[in-house]
Amino acid sequence: CGFKVTAKVNEWAFIDKAAADRQPLLRKICMVCKSMKVGKAYAEGAAKRQHGIDRKLEMMDERELQLLVGVLERTRKSKEAGK
């Protein structure tokens, strides 16, 4: 059989290499996403839908990350309220 099991890559590993001023925001985004059981692509998609920010998290500036934290927090709270 040609199927190989590959190790799952930690999609959040880039946070440790990010600029120090952006690391707290990136960690917050990571924790909110993990609490909703979604990945990095979900956060990037939310940024694009809500604010027209069509970039990977690694490339977002501090203001864009702050906007994204707000979007994700509101989404998380909305989903929790809907349970």
Side-chain angles (χ1 to χ4, degrees):
C1 174
F3 179 75
K4 288 185 178 181
V5 176
T6 57
K8 186 175 180 182
V9 177
N10 180 2
E11 65 182 341
W12 300 102
F14 73 94
I15 294 174
D16 293 331
K17 296 177 186 138
D21 62 329
R22 292 180 21 241
Q23 285 184 3
L25 290 167
L26 289 166
R27 285 192 178 99
K28 177 74 173 178
I29 291 167
C30 173
M31 295 312 296
V32 173
C33 285
K34 285 183 177 183
S35 74
M36 292 192 300
K37 296 180 174 66
V38 298
K40 181 180 157 197
Y42 181 90
E44 292 168 347
K48 184 176 180 181
R49 281 190 308 277
Q50 295 293 319
H51 297 288
I53 303 167
D54 191 11
R55 275 194 278 283
K56 295 201 174 283
L57 290 175
E58 297 95 313
M59 305 309 292
M60 291 183 193
D61 63 30
E62 192 172 355
R63 183 190 64 81
E64 293 168 336
L65 291 171
Q66 288 171 341
L67 290 171
L68 181 54
V69 167
V71 167
L72 292 172
E73 280 289 344
R74 286 189 298 276
T75 302
R76 182 184 60 79
K77 288 177 185 174
S78 173
K79 287 186 177 200
E80 284 179 357
K83 284 185 178 180

